[in-house]
Amino acid sequence: YIWLYWWNPLAWAYRALLVNEFRSEKYNYYLSDLPTQFGNATYGEIILHSKGFYYNGGTYGQEWVGYSFAYLIPFIIFCLFVSTLCLKYVRVEKASGDGVKAVKSLKQENTLNEEEEESHGEEMSTEIDNFKQNGTRRKSINLPFVPVDLSFEKICYTVKASTSGEQLKLLNEVSGVLQSRRMCALMGSSGAGKTTLMDVIALRKTSGTITGEVRLNGHPQEPQSFRRCSGYVEQFDVQSPELTVRETITFSANMRLSASNFASQEDIDKFVGDIIAVLELEPEEHMLVGTMETGGLSFEQKKRLSIAVELAASPSVLFLDEPTSGLDSRAALVVMRSLRRICDTGRTICATIHQPSLAVFEMFDDLLLLKKGGEAVYFGELGIGSDKLIDYFESRGAKPINHGENPGTWMLNVIGAPVSKGSVTSSMSKSPDYALMYTQSKEYATTHALITDLKNNIDESRKIAYDSEFPTTFTRRNMLVNDRLVLIYWRSPTYNLSRLMLSLGIAFILGSVFIRYDRPETFEEMQLSSAISTIFISFIIIGVLSITSVLPVMLSIRDMFYRHRAAGMLNHTSLAMALGVAEKRFILLSSMLFTIVFYFTMGLEPSARKFFAFWGFFTFNLAIYSYFGQAFMCLVRGMATAQILCSVFIGINNFFSGLIVRPQYLTGFWQVTYWITPGHYVFEGLVVTQFSDDERLVEAYFGSEFFQYMNCTLLQNTSDDGSRQCVGYVRQYVDSFFGGRFTRDHVPQDLVILGLYLTFARVLTYFALKKFNYASN
């Protein structure tokens, strides 16, 4: 590997720094009684020689500082030149999803512009007619549920402004009724509070002040029961990319359906098959969900999968946040057709919609229209061709709708939320107070009369109540989460396969440096020092690899957990246990592969006891780094902050494990860092289990700590050939190197403390999952 040494820019920089220091005037003096092999060497030259920095029999001179600049400057220029060429000629394209259609940017919320609507109108009208005639012939979902009429009265939501202590009212006494077998659209301008209202009703808001009343079939909303009888599809819902469509839906069904509804797993599989048929996902049933980078489902297919996941709970109420945003006209129609089918089974559906196409808008039964400030300006039926909505606004002075104009776009322009270029001028004039008009309207009175009727005529048989928070038992819930997470890990080659391969590669590179020595009977002091340093580097490098690679995986799992917890599928205990189980087998495998390669290529003693001792401490190290990485990602919101915590953890282990700053030199406050660093106990265990009883010889270098530890003199231990040498045992060298701080008696203590660190990391992850929720809310 000598070519790697001369190629490595860090080696040139390190050598230049050492030469610049020890060739300076500070070390330019001579010692008396030097061995003859040093000649007239200065003290600085002796230090360089003792550290292995000599070349062709002599130490590096001051000129090597200049040589280093002569190498490093062209090296940097070369790297910049290669980077420039790559930026100019190399383009890495992201893989597109299998079957992805040409859709608009996800940032676009307009699903269909006017030109598209005109060109597709006739075709879409035909599809809608076919659906109305034949749509109900598709297989329905045959599972008992309680139909729900959900009423909400005078809902207010207030939050504190981020830049001041001012209270902002985002919702202002909004009332309405979501009825079974009907689809209600929540609409309004951007910032009107559509999603906020739906989040409040669906118990998704965890901050701010909420007032008002929500009832299900006249009964007060109870959080535990409501979560079990409702589903919520987020706008940009994320599913596990490593699972197939059927596996994703099946997991949701297993977690959210009571065992009393099914006689066997076969019944659940049939139910999942019905859902797949209703959502028209049969062609993608066994396809991996995937990502934008790796390929998989298209955006529209993922939308339908998200709906299927919630439908697997057999909810009475289904909430959807902008289910058609980002889709083209045909994809939006497929989604809405599926929702219509679900609604016709007797379920209640509520969806926020932003600028829907005419075809999509007319598939809704009811509309709740909000204006900025969170005030309702209309709630009621749309009517055939939206005639009731149009009559309502035209009778209150609104500009008459043009022939063929989309009522959804027209009404937003009417209330002062222009969505097309032609409406800008009209929006400049002061708009009537439609919120006030609504409170004085017949529609307002009808809505509140219906709410009152639901409260006064309560049917006890339609009360939704559950005895437990979760539909499945603790044991089954943990088993399902374990199996799912293990499968995700198994199908994550970029995480697990790559770290296994890197472990093997790093183990061979580090260990093979010592192949040519083949367990020498006598060490040079520098040679044994290098072996100890290599053991240190090995567990640090693999630890850094583990803690950094686990962060993106944990972020994805954590965010998915927030979604599952909000849906009432599981709690923090199930995930915390599953994380330990899924990670454990790969930690054991990775550490074993590394140990096998590193241990024997480095030439450590072929003893089963010592081999398994090395593997045990190395496994502890790998587990601690991996589990602390999980804990850090759960403790903080974003990846960047977690990386900072990891950097601090890595830095502490680098500096205070006992090599870079040896324990005998840590005094005062810095002794604390030594005792609290887990790497200290790993390093001590690895070193003393290998060398504490090693009786091989070590030749002490003149003037070194080991030379002084052995109380050697120049005239001591003269060999037959006349050369003077100071020789000790490997165990003595280890005792000298670490100032007597690393001893074999500490091994049981090291194991106990590492076990406590491992437990602390798991408890920290459990606590973070329980207490924190970094989902947007």
Side-chain angles (χ1 to χ4, degrees):
Y1 296 110
I2 191 64
W3 64 273
L4 282 175
Y5 172 74
W6 289 110
W7 165 83
N8 189 353
L10 292 180
W12 285 86
Y14 182 46
R15 182 170 53 247
L17 291 171
L18 289 179
V19 170
N20 187 63
E21 174 66 18
F22 294 111
R23 280 290 193 170
S24 66
E25 291 297 322
K26 180 179 178 181
Y27 299 91
N28 189 26
Y29 59 89
Y30 300 92
L31 300 176
S32 59
D33 298 328
L34 279 175
T36 56
Q37 66 264 31
F38 289 116
N40 294 322
T42 64
Y43 181 52
E45 291 174 325
I46 293 173
I47 294 176
L48 287 173
H49 196 278
S50 69
K51 301 302 180 184
F53 285 89
Y54 53 84
Y55 182 66
N56 288 339
T59 55
Y60 292 99
Q62 194 71 35
E63 68 276 7
W64 280 90
V65 176
Y67 295 161
S68 296
F69 279 104
Y71 177 81
L72 291 172
I73 293 174
F75 185 88
I76 294 171
I77 294 173
F78 173 75
C79 290
L80 290 173
F81 176 72
V82 172
S83 298
T84 303
L85 290 179
C86 291
L87 288 172
K88 183 176 181 179
Y89 295 108
V90 178
R91 182 179 179 88
V92 180
E93 299 285 354
K94 291 183 179 180
S96 60
D98 188 3
V100 174
K101 301 176 183 179
V103 299
K104 297 182 181 294
S105 167
L106 300 188
K107 294 182 179 179
Q108 291 181 322
E109 294 182 304
N110 190 357
T111 61
L112 187 64
N113 59 31
E114 299 298 329
E115 291 79 5
E116 286 176 316
E117 187 171 333
E118 183 176 346
S119 62
H120 288 288
E122 183 177 347
E123 180 182 356
M124 291 177 64
S125 297
T126 303
E127 291 204 33
I128 293 173
D129 292 340
N130 291 338
F131 169 70
K132 290 178 178 178
Q133 296 173 11
N134 305 318
T136 54
R137 296 178 187 173
R138 268 191 177 267
K139 183 179 289 188
S140 61
I141 302 169
N142 184 22
L143 192 69
F145 70 95
V146 178
V148 164
D149 292 328
L150 187 152
S151 63
F152 50 97
E153 186 176 13
K154 296 185 177 180
I155 298 294
C156 296
Y157 179 61
T158 306
V159 297
K160 183 180 290 187
S162 58
T163 57
S164 64
E166 181 185 0
Q167 294 292 320
L168 301 177
K169 181 172 281 190
L170 304 183
L171 296 174
N172 189 6
E173 297 193 353
V174 182
S175 302
V177 179
L178 308 178
Q179 297 175 277
S180 60
R181 289 188 180 273
R182 297 184 71 82
M183 289 173 55
C184 179
L186 295 184
M187 293 188 64
S189 59
S190 296
K194 307 181 295 294
T195 301
T196 301
L197 175 61
M198 192 167 69
D199 286 346
V200 168
I201 297 172
L203 300 177
R204 292 291 175 126
K205 286 297 181 185
T206 58
S207 60
T209 303
I210 300 172
T211 60
E213 187 178 52
V214 179
R215 289 176 175 266
L216 279 70
N217 295 330
H219 299 276
Q221 184 185 46
E222 193 276 312
Q224 177 177 296
S225 298
F226 182 78
R227 288 191 176 93
R228 287 189 57 176
C229 76
S230 63
Y232 189 106
V233 180
E234 298 176 4
Q235 181 178 359
F236 298 108
D237 207 357
V238 178
Q239 306 298 334
S240 297
E242 299 85 3
L243 302 180
T244 65
V245 169
R246 174 171 277 276
E247 288 168 347
T248 301
I249 303 172
T250 301
F251 174 75
S252 179
N254 281 323
M255 293 292 291
R256 301 172 73 174
L257 294 175
S258 174
S260 60
N261 292 324
F262 297 96
S264 65
Q265 184 62 42
E266 184 179 351
D267 292 338
I268 295 181
D269 292 337
K270 289 180 180 178
F271 172 66
V272 170
D274 292 347
I275 294 174
I276 291 173
V278 168
L279 274 298
E280 303 180 38
L281 286 168
E282 296 103 320
E284 296 81 29
E285 180 176 355
H286 300 293
M287 183 187 295
L288 291 177
V289 175
T291 63
M292 292 294 291
E293 290 76 19
T294 61
L297 300 182
S298 68
F299 184 61
E300 173 265 329
Q301 290 165 343
K302 288 179 181 178
K303 286 272 190 181
R304 284 186 281 139
L305 174 60
S306 296
I307 297 171
V309 166
E310 294 305 310
L311 191 57
S314 188
S316 300
V317 186
L318 184 61
F319 299 95
L320 303 101
D321 187 14
E322 302 197 20
T324 60
S325 292
L327 305 180
D328 64 13
S329 57
R330 185 173 294 279
L333 182 61
V334 171
V335 170
M336 292 304 301
R337 190 166 57 199
S338 301
L339 292 178
R340 185 73 257 176
R341 231 179 255 121
I342 295 168
C343 182
D344 289 343
T345 63
R347 289 169 170 83
T348 304
I349 291 183
C350 176
T352 62
I353 297 289
H354 187 75
Q355 295 179 233
S357 66
L358 176 61
V360 168
F361 187 69
E362 291 189 344
M363 295 189 78
F364 286 94
D365 303 298
D366 303 316
L367 170 70
L368 173 54
L369 184 61
L370 301 175
K371 75 170 191 175
K372 280 194 174 182
E375 293 182 282
V377 295
Y378 178 80
F379 177 75
E381 290 186 51
L382 284 174
I384 299 174
S386 303
D387 59 345
K388 292 186 178 181
L389 171 70
I390 296 171
D391 291 343
Y392 175 85
F393 281 105
E394 287 185 344
S395 66
R396 284 161 177 78
K399 178 183 176 180
I401 189 171
N402 296 322
H403 178 70
E405 186 175 0
N406 184 347
T409 303
W410 170 78
M411 70 175 183
L412 291 176
N413 291 330
V414 165
I415 67 172
V419 294
S420 61
K421 293 181 180 179
S423 63
V424 173
T425 303
S426 62
S427 68
M428 297 301 292
S429 59
K430 185 173 177 63
S431 176
D433 190 350
Y434 286 105
L436 179 61
M437 291 182 183
Y438 172 65
T439 60
Q440 301 167 351
S441 67
K442 179 184 68 175
E443 287 75 9
Y444 180 86
T446 300
T447 299
H448 281 268
L450 181 56
I451 293 173
T452 302
D453 182 64
L454 288 171
K455 288 195 293 185
N456 294 337
N457 299 289
I458 297 177
D459 184 355
E460 290 296 330
S461 65
R462 298 184 66 192
K463 182 178 181 179
I464 298 178
Y466 297 96
D467 297 330
S468 60
E469 181 180 1
F470 302 103
T472 55
T473 63
F474 178 78
T475 302
R476 176 168 169 77
R477 193 163 63 248
N478 290 344
M479 181 192 70
L480 290 170
V481 177
N482 283 343
D483 291 345
R484 176 178 177 274
L485 209 54
V486 167
L487 184 58
I488 289 174
Y489 266 63
W490 179 252
R491 291 179 182 169
S492 303
T494 54
Y495 175 49
N496 287 309
L497 183 60
S498 62
R499 67 173 172 172
L500 291 176
M501 294 299 101
L502 282 173
S503 294
L504 289 172
I506 292 171
F508 179 76
I509 291 172
L510 293 177
S512 61
V513 172
F514 296 88
I515 285 180
R516 61 192 180 99
Y517 295 113
D518 193 25
R519 286 190 53 79
E521 289 301 319
T522 302
F523 285 98
E524 293 181 8
E525 185 178 342
M526 183 182 63
Q527 186 180 347
L528 184 55
S529 174
S530 297
I532 293 174
S533 299
T534 301
I535 290 174
F536 171 82
I537 292 170
S538 69
F539 82 81
I540 290 293
I541 290 179
I542 296 299
V544 171
L545 172 67
S546 299
I547 199 170
T548 53
S549 61
V550 79
L551 293 182
V553 177
M554 189 62 226
L555 177 62
S556 175
I557 294 172
R558 184 200 72 177
D559 291 347
M560 184 61 64
F561 162 71
Y562 292 152
R563 181 194 177 285
H564 288 163
R565 179 169 62 183
M569 294 172 65
L570 52 89
N571 62 6
H572 52 279
T573 303
S574 298
L575 181 63
M577 294 176 63
L579 284 170
V581 172
E583 190 75 30
K584 176 176 62 179
R585 60 192 66 197
F586 288 99
I587 289 173
L588 293 171
L589 179 59
S590 181
S591 62
M592 176 58 76
L593 292 176
F594 182 93
T595 302
I596 291 172
V597 175
F598 179 80
Y599 192 90
F600 294 107
T601 54
M602 189 175 176
L604 297 176
E605 184 178 338
S607 160
R609 176 179 62 83
K610 291 189 174 183
F611 173 85
F612 283 106
F614 188 97
W615 174 67
F617 278 102
F618 202 86
T619 301
F620 261 122
N621 176 71
L622 204 59
I624 287 171
Y625 271 92
S626 297
Y627 289 138
F628 267 102
Q630 291 181 350
F632 292 152
M633 194 67 258
C634 294
L635 281 170
V636 298
R637 180 178 295 276
M639 177 80 74
T641 310
Q643 288 172 337
I644 292 173
L645 293 178
C646 290
S647 298
V648 173
F649 185 80
I650 292 167
I652 290 174
N653 278 281
N654 272 339
F655 285 105
F656 304 112
S657 290
L659 180 72
I660 294 179
V661 182
R662 282 181 275 170
Q664 61 268 35
Y665 300 123
L666 291 168
T667 59
F669 165 78
W670 297 108
Q671 292 187 60
V672 176
T673 59
Y674 171 70
W675 292 110
I676 66 171
T677 300
H680 148 215
Y681 303 99
V682 173
F683 192 32
E684 181 176 33
L686 292 173
V687 170
V688 300
T689 55
Q690 300 303 312
F691 301 123
S692 63
D693 59 352
D694 197 326
E695 297 291 327
R696 286 178 292 172
L697 300 178
V698 181
E699 295 180 356
Y701 196 83
F702 170 74
S704 69
E705 290 178 341
F706 187 47
F707 186 90
Q708 297 170 17
Y709 173 87
M710 298 296 297
N711 294 318
C712 291
T713 66
L714 291 177
L715 300 178
Q716 187 177 7
N717 293 342
T718 303
S719 61
D720 294 338
D721 61 2
S723 63
R724 298 181 179 89
Q725 55 182 343
C726 177
V727 179
Y729 296 113
V730 170
R731 57 178 173 79
Q732 292 176 313
Y733 179 82
V734 170
D735 189 60
S736 165
F737 190 85
F738 296 104
R741 300 289 188 92
F742 278 20
T743 68
R744 189 171 186 82
D745 294 338
H746 291 168
V747 170
Q749 168 189 298
D750 294 338
L751 291 172
V752 171
I753 293 176
L754 289 174
L756 291 175
Y757 269 109
L758 205 56
T759 303
F760 176 69
R762 303 307 306 139
V763 170
L764 199 59
T765 302
Y766 175 89
F767 171 82
L769 290 172
K770 179 180 180 180
K771 293 295 183 182
F772 303 130
N773 184 357
Y774 295 114
S776 299
N777 50 47

